[in-house]
Amino acid sequence: MISKLFLDSSVLVEYTKNNRTALMDHLLLTMPGMLFINSIVLSEYMYHWLGNNGGKSPRSLQQSRKIGEIIRSNDQAVFLSLFVVLPVDDRIVPVCLELMQRYNLLPNDALIIATAKLHGIDTIASFDADFLPACEGERIQLIREITDVA
């Protein structure tokens, strides 16, 4: 039984694009208060959300001073309040570097796995295949589909 679950931005992004929503629908229904993210996931999600809702690249939206307007038209505060945002502190540096080296991970993916490990979370939901070897090697359950949820 899963007691805590860390969400990768891929699950949040696909959900808000109305793609692959079954997993998130199930998690929101069955695990309220037990879904965790960090500032990396928040940043990745908001970056994609801005582009998707603004119809342009986030940098173009910034240059045209449209970010405030987009946020006001579809405030994400209620949706994001469904998740506990875990802190990232200086303990993460050696763990992140080790994960990058061992599994050939990009920094954000290593920071996500390191955050889960440091907070005792042994389950991650992600649609990103880059997580497969690292989760297996670190004995972290990877949830990719609703059928993976026990």
Side-chain angles (χ1 to χ4, degrees):
M1 173 116 187
I2 300 169
S3 61
K4 295 191 244 180
L5 187 134
F6 194 96
L7 291 165
D8 174 42
S9 60
S10 62
V11 177
L12 299 175
V13 168
E14 291 303 315
Y15 184 74
T16 59
K17 289 172 31 180
N18 275 333
N19 296 328
R20 300 176 81 173
T21 59
L23 177 59
M24 181 58 86
D25 284 338
H26 178 75
L27 295 174
L28 289 171
L29 183 65
T30 61
M31 299 187 69
M34 298 181 291
L35 301 174
F36 297 85
I37 63 173
N38 64 7
S39 57
I40 302 302
V41 171
L42 177 62
S43 175
E44 289 179 346
Y45 167 72
M46 290 304 300
Y47 190 86
H48 286 282
W49 179 85
L50 276 172
N52 191 50
N53 284 276
K56 296 180 183 177
S57 74
R59 176 62 86 190
S60 295
L61 295 170
Q62 180 190 34
Q63 290 171 343
S64 64
R65 306 193 58 76
K66 298 283 186 187
I67 292 176
E69 176 184 321
I70 293 164
I71 290 175
R72 281 188 295 278
S73 70
N74 189 359
D75 189 357
Q76 290 295 288
V78 172
F79 177 67
L80 292 170
S81 73
L82 299 172
F83 314 107
V84 177
V85 181
L86 296 172
V88 174
D89 60 37
D90 59 351
R91 299 175 304 147
I92 205 162
V93 174
V95 179
C96 176
L97 293 172
E98 176 62 29
L99 290 167
M100 289 176 69
Q101 183 178 25
R102 185 180 301 153
Y103 301 108
N104 193 41
L105 290 172
L106 292 170
N108 284 358
D109 292 344
L111 287 165
I112 288 166
I113 294 170
T115 302
K117 285 183 61 147
L118 289 170
H119 288 276
I121 299 173
D122 62 2
T123 308
I124 294 175
S126 178
F127 298 136
D128 184 347
D130 291 346
F131 282 90
L132 287 168
C135 284
E136 184 176 313
E138 298 300 312
R139 293 187 172 95
I140 294 172
Q141 180 182 2
L142 181 61
I143 304 292
R144 301 192 69 204
E145 303 292 338
I146 195 169
T147 55
D148 297 333
V149 181

PDB file of all heavy atoms in Angstrom, residues 42-55:
ATOM      1  N   LEU A  42       7.341  22.075  -9.349  1.00  0.00           N
ATOM      2  CA  LEU A  42       6.508  23.273  -9.462  1.00  0.00           C
ATOM      3  C   LEU A  42       6.978  24.153 -10.621  1.00  0.00           C
ATOM      4  O   LEU A  42       6.175  24.606 -11.441  1.00  0.00           O
ATOM      5  CB  LEU A  42       6.534  24.056  -8.149  1.00  0.00           C
ATOM      6  CG  LEU A  42       5.765  25.374  -8.125  1.00  0.00           C
ATOM      7  CD1 LEU A  42       4.278  25.154  -8.376  1.00  0.00           C
ATOM      8  CD2 LEU A  42       5.997  26.075  -6.791  1.00  0.00           C
ATOM      9  N   SER A  43       8.272  24.384 -10.717  1.00  0.00           N
ATOM     10  CA  SER A  43       8.829  25.218 -11.782  1.00  0.00           C
ATOM     11  C   SER A  43       8.590  24.598 -13.165  1.00  0.00           C
ATOM     12  O   SER A  43       8.148  25.285 -14.094  1.00  0.00           O
ATOM     13  CB  SER A  43      10.326  25.415 -11.551  1.00  0.00           C
ATOM     14  OG  SER A  43      10.904  26.114 -12.627  1.00  0.00           O
ATOM     15  N   GLU A  44       8.885  23.306 -13.298  1.00  0.00           N
ATOM     16  CA  GLU A  44       8.675  22.643 -14.595  1.00  0.00           C
ATOM     17  C   GLU A  44       7.209  22.691 -15.001  1.00  0.00           C
ATOM     18  O   GLU A  44       6.878  22.977 -16.155  1.00  0.00           O
ATOM     19  CB  GLU A  44       9.144  21.185 -14.534  1.00  0.00           C
ATOM     20  CG  GLU A  44      10.627  21.005 -14.471  1.00  0.00           C
ATOM     21  CD  GLU A  44      11.055  19.552 -14.394  1.00  0.00           C
ATOM     22  OE1 GLU A  44      10.207  18.655 -14.119  1.00  0.00           O
ATOM     23  OE2 GLU A  44      12.241  19.297 -14.601  1.00  0.00           O
ATOM     24  N   TYR A  45       6.334  22.396 -14.047  1.00  0.00           N
ATOM     25  CA  TYR A  45       4.903  22.407 -14.337  1.00  0.00           C
ATOM     26  C   TYR A  45       4.437  23.790 -14.770  1.00  0.00           C
ATOM     27  O   TYR A  45       3.763  23.943 -15.789  1.00  0.00           O
ATOM     28  CB  TYR A  45       4.092  21.936 -13.121  1.00  0.00           C
ATOM     29  CG  TYR A  45       2.624  22.232 -13.267  1.00  0.00           C
ATOM     30  CD1 TYR A  45       1.862  21.505 -14.165  1.00  0.00           C
ATOM     31  CD2 TYR A  45       2.018  23.258 -12.555  1.00  0.00           C
ATOM     32  CE1 TYR A  45       0.514  21.796 -14.341  1.00  0.00           C
ATOM     33  CE2 TYR A  45       0.684  23.548 -12.722  1.00  0.00           C
ATOM     34  CZ  TYR A  45      -0.065  22.810 -13.619  1.00  0.00           C
ATOM     35  OH  TYR A  45      -1.389  23.104 -13.805  1.00  0.00           O
ATOM     36  N   MET A  46       4.775  24.820 -13.991  1.00  0.00           N
ATOM     37  CA  MET A  46       4.321  26.171 -14.310  1.00  0.00           C
ATOM     38  C   MET A  46       4.876  26.657 -15.643  1.00  0.00           C
ATOM     39  O   MET A  46       4.189  27.361 -16.394  1.00  0.00           O
ATOM     40  CB  MET A  46       4.674  27.150 -13.185  1.00  0.00           C
ATOM     41  CG  MET A  46       3.866  26.942 -11.913  1.00  0.00           C
ATOM     42  SD  MET A  46       2.065  27.010 -12.140  1.00  0.00           S
ATOM     43  CE  MET A  46       1.835  28.659 -12.776  1.00  0.00           C
ATOM     44  N   TYR A  47       6.084  26.293 -15.978  1.00  0.00           N
ATOM     45  CA  TYR A  47       6.683  26.667 -17.251  1.00  0.00           C
ATOM     46  C   TYR A  47       5.860  26.094 -18.414  1.00  0.00           C
ATOM     47  O   TYR A  47       5.491  26.816 -19.341  1.00  0.00           O
ATOM     48  CB  TYR A  47       8.132  26.171 -17.306  1.00  0.00           C
ATOM     49  CG  TYR A  47       8.911  26.706 -18.468  1.00  0.00           C
ATOM     50  CD1 TYR A  47       9.554  27.937 -18.388  1.00  0.00           C
ATOM     51  CD2 TYR A  47       9.017  25.983 -19.652  1.00  0.00           C
ATOM     52  CE1 TYR A  47      10.279  28.434 -19.455  1.00  0.00           C
ATOM     53  CE2 TYR A  47       9.737  26.477 -20.723  1.00  0.00           C
ATOM     54  CZ  TYR A  47      10.363  27.700 -20.621  1.00  0.00           C
ATOM     55  OH  TYR A  47      11.075  28.191 -21.683  1.00  0.00           O
ATOM     56  N   HIS A  48       5.553  24.804 -18.328  1.00  0.00           N
ATOM     57  CA  HIS A  48       4.729  24.166 -19.375  1.00  0.00           C
ATOM     58  C   HIS A  48       3.312  24.727 -19.370  1.00  0.00           C
ATOM     59  O   HIS A  48       2.719  24.945 -20.430  1.00  0.00           O
ATOM     60  CB  HIS A  48       4.704  22.645 -19.200  1.00  0.00           C
ATOM     61  CG  HIS A  48       5.981  21.990 -19.590  1.00  0.00           C
ATOM     62  ND1 HIS A  48       6.333  21.754 -20.897  1.00  0.00           N
ATOM     63  CD2 HIS A  48       7.005  21.538 -18.836  1.00  0.00           C
ATOM     64  CE1 HIS A  48       7.515  21.179 -20.935  1.00  0.00           C
ATOM     65  NE2 HIS A  48       7.938  21.034 -19.694  1.00  0.00           N
ATOM     66  N   TRP A  49       2.759  24.945 -18.184  1.00  0.00           N
ATOM     67  CA  TRP A  49       1.403  25.473 -18.072  1.00  0.00           C
ATOM     68  C   TRP A  49       1.306  26.852 -18.726  1.00  0.00           C
ATOM     69  O   TRP A  49       0.341  27.138 -19.434  1.00  0.00           O
ATOM     70  CB  TRP A  49       0.994  25.536 -16.596  1.00  0.00           C
ATOM     71  CG  TRP A  49      -0.367  26.082 -16.397  1.00  0.00           C
ATOM     72  CD1 TRP A  49      -1.550  25.393 -16.445  1.00  0.00           C
ATOM     73  CD2 TRP A  49      -0.711  27.447 -16.140  1.00  0.00           C
ATOM     74  NE1 TRP A  49      -2.595  26.256 -16.230  1.00  0.00           N
ATOM     75  CE2 TRP A  49      -2.112  27.516 -16.041  1.00  0.00           C
ATOM     76  CE3 TRP A  49       0.028  28.604 -15.981  1.00  0.00           C
ATOM     77  CZ2 TRP A  49      -2.784  28.707 -15.791  1.00  0.00           C
ATOM     78  CZ3 TRP A  49      -0.636  29.802 -15.730  1.00  0.00           C
ATOM     79  CH2 TRP A  49      -2.026  29.832 -15.644  1.00  0.00           C
ATOM     80  N   LEU A  50       2.298  27.704 -18.477  1.00  0.00           N
ATOM     81  CA  LEU A  50       2.290  29.037 -19.088  1.00  0.00           C
ATOM     82  C   LEU A  50       2.262  28.948 -20.613  1.00  0.00           C
ATOM     83  O   LEU A  50       1.472  29.622 -21.269  1.00  0.00           O
ATOM     84  CB  LEU A  50       3.524  29.839 -18.663  1.00  0.00           C
ATOM     85  CG  LEU A  50       3.453  30.565 -17.352  1.00  0.00           C
ATOM     86  CD1 LEU A  50       4.825  31.136 -16.997  1.00  0.00           C
ATOM     87  CD2 LEU A  50       2.411  31.661 -17.384  1.00  0.00           C
ATOM     88  N   GLY A  51       3.141  28.139 -21.180  1.00  0.00           N
ATOM     89  CA  GLY A  51       3.183  27.990 -22.625  1.00  0.00           C
ATOM     90  C   GLY A  51       1.893  27.431 -23.186  1.00  0.00           C
ATOM     91  O   GLY A  51       1.375  27.910 -24.209  1.00  0.00           O
ATOM     92  N   ASN A  52       1.340  26.439 -22.503  1.00  0.00           N
ATOM     93  CA  ASN A  52       0.104  25.808 -22.965  1.00  0.00           C
ATOM     94  C   ASN A  52      -1.075  26.779 -22.893  1.00  0.00           C
ATOM     95  O   ASN A  52      -1.892  26.842 -23.810  1.00  0.00           O
ATOM     96  CB  ASN A  52      -0.172  24.555 -22.123  1.00  0.00           C
ATOM     97  CG  ASN A  52      -1.277  23.703 -22.690  1.00  0.00           C
ATOM     98  OD1 ASN A  52      -1.278  23.386 -23.865  1.00  0.00           O
ATOM     99  ND2 ASN A  52      -2.207  23.323 -21.839  1.00  0.00           N
ATOM    100  N   ASN A  53      -1.161  27.539 -21.815  1.00  0.00           N
ATOM    101  CA  ASN A  53      -2.293  28.452 -21.644  1.00  0.00           C
ATOM    102  C   ASN A  53      -2.098  29.793 -22.333  1.00  0.00           C
ATOM    103  O   ASN A  53      -3.066  30.497 -22.586  1.00  0.00           O
ATOM    104  CB  ASN A  53      -2.584  28.659 -20.155  1.00  0.00           C
ATOM    105  CG  ASN A  53      -3.289  27.458 -19.580  1.00  0.00           C
ATOM    106  OD1 ASN A  53      -4.483  27.334 -19.684  1.00  0.00           O
ATOM    107  ND2 ASN A  53      -2.526  26.541 -19.012  1.00  0.00           N
ATOM    108  N   GLY A  54      -0.860  30.147 -22.623  1.00  0.00           N
ATOM    109  CA  GLY A  54      -0.583  31.420 -23.279  1.00  0.00           C
ATOM    110  C   GLY A  54      -0.449  31.321 -24.784  1.00  0.00           C
ATOM    111  O   GLY A  54      -0.423  32.340 -25.476  1.00  0.00           O
ATOM    112  N   GLY A  55      -0.351  30.083 -25.285  1.00  0.00           N
ATOM    113  CA  GLY A  55      -0.251  29.888 -26.723  1.00  0.00           C
ATOM    114  C   GLY A  55       1.077  30.315 -27.327  1.00  0.00           C
ATOM    115  O   GLY A  55       1.208  30.361 -28.553  1.00  0.00           O
TER     116      GLY A  55
END
